[in-house]
Amino acid sequence: MVPQSAYTAFVSWVQGAKAVFLFLFAHPAAGAENRKEKKQMKLNGSQIFVEVLAEQGVDTLFGYPGGAVLNLYDELYKNSDRIHTVLTAHEQGASHAADGYARATGRTGVVLATSGPGATNLVTGIATAYMDSVPMVAFTGNVATTLLGRDSFQEAYIEGITMPITKHNYTVRRVEDLADTMRAAFRIAQQGRKGPVLVDIPKDVTAAVCEFTPKAPELIRTVTSYNEEDVKKAAEMINAAQRPVVYFGGGVRSAAGCQPLRDLLEKAGMPATYTLMAAGVLSYGEPHNLGLLGMHGCYTANKAIDEADLVIAVGTRFSDRVALNPDTFAKRAKIIQIDIDPSELGKNVAVDLSLTGDASYILQAILPYVEKTEHKLWMEQIRQWQKNDYKPVDSDTELKPHQMIAEICRQAGPEAVYVTDVGQHQMWAAQYLHHTKSRGFLTSGGLGTMGFGYGAAIGAQMALGRDARVIMLTGDGSFHMNLNEGCTAVSYGLPIITVIFNNQVLGMVRQWQTTFYGKRYSDTDPHRHTDFVKVAEGFGAKGYRATTPEEFKAAFADAMKQQGPSWIDCRIGKDEKVLPMIPGGGDINDIIME
């Protein structure tokens, strides 16, 4: 028998030899003259940066070069066969692209920017990812460690700036700490409630040399702190309910899987409603799907929550756009809340039972204890309420948002991925898109970032490939903020179709001014004369203009044939409204339907 100590030593030797072999194999160009150095794994910070990215499975990096990150970009150039870099028009666009990449795939998005203004231009994108729990790692360059804190050229204290909008952030002051700091960033971005992490790397760290040891990516631990008694109690509450409703949010999309939610709805025979961040988890037209909940949610969904005797809140935080009045939200119901983040439990609305952990695993644990039920009377009542849902009026001559979206769905098909900016078009998209994919609707929910859409669409298209169908829905107000990324879409030949709901006003704010501010339209009519068709052509994209349903149908059909990006300027009425609407602080009794 081989002694245990000898066996352990042998295994360690084999693992070490394997690591060295893998590293050398990844660097076939290494000559005999530096073979000894490679065996010792001596690398500079830029080489370590690339090695850890590859180690973590990163295949695409979005960003913009600058002085503080020249060493990093030089090394990325040498490794372009391993990691694809995408140059955007602006660092904010790069951050949104990394975000869109992550939302479309579930993988961690990566963005790189230089110091000072390059780093601060990422802030809005990082905050957007933070509010929507999107896994992203942002790398920024900085001045050399000897210049930190001296108001040096293009210096910014980005670690302090981003502290409130990241899960964690770091400034790497020693090259010896770089690899493990990067590894920790990728782990933190994905573990528990997902979110962005920032790593700031001074320029001298990218040039300094130290020993490097390859490591496999860490296994992400599943957060579960619920107990069996709570699981049984939740099932008992579900079995006892006569009017149950599941209300779920983006945490379901981020969970290990969505199927346990569908299994629960089927087994317990109960309906479900969702937040903006969870649109698409349930396919359009599913019998259990009540539609969107909250300020611009449908009447039936809001009425069902108001009349329910049990609400099972899964992966959602009772935001002020859903629980508009926390004191009256689901006032007749007991509430079970399931969330991976314990800080969200009972934070906005008092709950009767809370369970912490990945929604998928908790629902799987509950399912065996749930009785097979149909709740026929409750579902019949819901069908009656659905007769009162808001129904927009069609037109044969004017462009109507709901008809445009129906035509988009018909032509783009069930596998399309839809990306939105923020405003009226975003709400129309959430209301009328025929969602069939859990990651098929990408939008800025928590922060509500105008200008999010085009960068995110670029990230999604890059992640999914040119054969994927990505549709970007925007308003003229939002699109003006980041339409400069049109040059990025053209440069990379991305067939993104952009549909501009152009009412020539800031529609959502104007709608509020109409309803609550006596039609005092303060700075919501910008009097812009932008010709989006000419701007598209100036970038090298295909431009269309549509003023009637027939023109839009033809324009969209032609855009579907293009190999590069297309913009369709759709002229809609400035008085088109997003309905229904419940004012902030109101409830179902305050709903506006016309």
Side-chain angles (χ1 to χ4, degrees):
M1 178 179 291
V2 179
Q4 182 64 30
S5 58
Y7 175 77
T8 303
F10 175 73
V11 171
S12 298
W13 180 85
V14 170
Q15 289 175 335
K18 180 181 178 183
V20 172
F21 172 78
L22 289 174
F23 178 79
L24 290 174
F25 184 76
H27 296 76
E33 67 279 1
N34 64 1
R35 189 73 52 83
K36 182 178 179 181
E37 181 180 348
K38 289 296 184 182
K39 284 183 179 179
Q40 293 172 345
M41 313 300 280
K42 288 280 189 179
L43 299 181
N44 65 38
S46 299
Q47 291 170 320
I48 291 171
F49 177 80
V50 171
E51 291 305 319
V52 176
L53 291 182
E55 176 186 288
Q56 296 294 320
V58 175
D59 56 14
T60 305
L61 177 147
F62 303 89
Y64 205 100
V69 291
L70 279 176
N71 292 338
L72 300 179
Y73 266 94
D74 188 55
E75 195 62 31
L76 286 165
Y77 179 87
K78 298 172 186 175
N79 288 271
S80 58
D81 59 328
R82 303 167 72 194
I83 298 172
H84 180 213
T85 59
V86 179
L87 172 65
T88 56
H90 190 282
E91 290 92 351
Q92 183 178 337
S95 65
H96 293 323
D99 182 318
Y101 178 100
R103 294 185 198 233
T105 63
R107 302 197 297 271
T108 303
V110 180
V111 62
L112 172 62
T114 193
S115 62
T120 58
N121 281 344
L122 297 180
V123 168
T124 299
I126 293 170
T128 301
Y130 182 75
M131 290 290 282
D132 289 345
S133 303
V134 177
M136 183 168 79
V137 176
F139 294 102
T140 53
N142 214 328
V143 299
T145 53
T146 55
L147 297 176
L148 289 173
R150 298 175 181 268
D151 292 332
S152 304
F153 176 67
Q154 288 195 334
E155 179 192 2
Y157 180 36
I158 196 64
E159 182 183 355
I161 291 169
T162 59
M163 192 172 294
I165 55 169
T166 53
K167 285 188 71 178
H168 204 341
N169 59 16
Y170 303 88
T171 297
V172 182
R173 296 175 182 269
R174 299 170 63 248
V175 70
E176 292 83 359
D177 300 328
L178 178 58
D180 284 342
T181 300
M182 290 177 64
R183 290 163 180 150
F186 279 94
R187 173 178 53 78
I188 292 169
Q190 283 282 358
Q191 190 164 290
R193 182 176 182 174
K194 304 180 194 315
V197 180
L198 180 132
V199 181
D200 191 40
I201 311 173
K203 188 170 184 178
D204 56 330
V205 173
T206 67
V209 174
C210 73
E211 289 193 8
F212 172 75
T213 303
K215 290 183 181 179
E218 290 186 56
L219 196 64
I220 302 300
R221 292 182 293 106
T222 301
V223 175
T224 50
S225 61
Y226 62 91
N227 58 54
E228 191 71 9
E229 289 306 311
D230 286 341
V231 165
K232 290 179 180 179
K233 185 176 180 181
E236 289 170 2
M237 293 171 70
I238 293 171
N239 293 335
Q242 298 299 310
R243 302 184 306 279
V245 178
V246 171
Y247 145 52
F248 64 94
V252 171
R253 177 181 286 164
S254 299
C258 300
Q259 191 57 43
L261 173 68
R262 302 186 186 103
D263 293 341
L264 176 64
L265 298 179
E266 182 67 30
K267 188 173 184 180
M270 56 186 172
T273 180
Y274 52 85
T275 70
L276 181 67
M277 293 306 303
V281 170
L282 289 184
S283 296
Y284 178 84
E286 282 193 28
H288 302 290
N289 189 348
L290 298 182
L292 187 68
L293 181 66
M295 179 174 284
H296 292 294
C298 66
Y299 171 82
T300 297
N302 283 290
K303 184 68 173 174
I305 287 289
D306 189 62
E307 294 288 341
D309 64 358
L310 177 68
V311 170
I312 304 103
V314 186
T316 187
R317 57 191 174 88
F318 299 91
S319 80
D320 61 310
R321 282 299 186 266
V322 171
L324 296 109
N325 186 337
D327 295 332
T328 61
F329 184 82
K331 58 183 179 293
R332 298 174 177 84
K334 292 182 178 179
I335 299 177
I336 301 170
Q337 187 177 8
I338 300 169
D339 204 279
I340 201 165
D341 184 355
S343 70
E344 292 292 355
L345 299 173
K347 183 178 78 174
N348 294 326
V349 170
V351 301
D352 298 277
L353 176 64
S354 59
L355 297 92
T356 303
D358 184 291
S360 178
Y361 294 120
I362 292 178
L363 293 178
Q364 286 182 55
I366 291 173
L367 269 167
Y369 301 105
V370 173
E371 298 170 358
K372 177 73 175 174
T373 319
E374 291 187 358
H375 292 111
K376 288 185 178 180
L377 292 177
W378 178 226
M379 295 304 295
E380 286 174 8
Q381 175 63 78
I382 284 170
R383 302 301 175 224
Q384 290 301 312
W385 288 331
Q386 287 176 329
K387 295 177 181 179
N388 298 321
D389 279 339
Y390 174 75
K391 297 175 180 60
V393 178
D394 291 349
S395 173
D396 293 330
T397 57
E398 298 178 5
L399 282 177
K400 295 293 182 180
H402 69 283
Q403 289 177 278
M404 292 168 58
I405 293 171
E407 183 62 31
I408 291 169
C409 292
R410 188 186 69 79
Q411 292 197 35
E415 293 300 308
V417 172
Y418 300 97
V419 187
T420 82
D421 267 315
V422 171
Q424 286 181 311
H425 69 276
Q426 177 190 32
M427 295 297 105
W428 287 322
Q431 290 174 334
Y432 301 122
L433 280 173
H434 294 184
H435 306 291
T436 59
K437 297 176 66 174
S438 64
R439 293 191 176 275
F441 183 67
L442 315 184
T443 194
S444 170
L447 198 63
T449 304
M450 294 176 71
F452 164 81
Y454 214 172
I458 288 168
Q461 191 80 72
M462 284 288 187
L464 301 174
R466 288 181 47 82
D467 292 337
R469 177 56 66 192
V470 176
I471 313 294
M472 209 279 275
L473 309 181
T474 186
D476 54 305
S478 275
F479 198 45
H480 269 109
M481 291 195 170
N482 271 339
L483 60 77
N484 54 336
E485 294 303 337
C487 66
T488 308
V490 170
S491 294
Y492 292 93
L494 305 178
I496 299 165
I497 300 176
T498 299
V499 180
I500 308 165
F501 291 71
N502 186 0
N503 54 12
Q504 299 185 296
V505 294
L506 305 182
M508 186 61 87
V509 184
R510 190 178 189 277
Q511 177 173 333
W512 278 63
Q513 290 172 334
T514 300
T515 307
F516 305 115
Y517 291 86
K519 298 185 178 181
R520 295 183 293 278
Y521 300 123
S522 176
D523 279 344
T524 48
D525 186 349
H527 302 288
R528 291 172 180 150
H529 299 282
T530 305
D531 187 328
F532 288 112
V533 174
K534 289 183 178 178
V535 174
E537 292 170 349
F539 276 127
K542 178 78 172 178
Y544 306 85
R545 184 172 290 109
T547 59
T548 67
E550 282 303 311
E551 287 177 353
F552 177 72
K553 180 179 180 180
F556 196 87
D558 195 64
M560 290 279 288
K561 302 173 185 175
Q562 301 302 315
Q563 298 300 306
S566 305
W567 299 4
I568 309 176
D569 180 3
C570 305
R571 298 302 177 94
I572 65 172
K574 63 183 178 181
D575 291 316
E576 289 288 343
K577 303 226 174 12
V578 179
L579 294 173
M581 177 180 181
I582 301 176
D587 56 32
I588 186 66
N589 298 308
D590 305 303
I591 194 167
I592 299 169
M593 299 283 280
E594 60 183 38

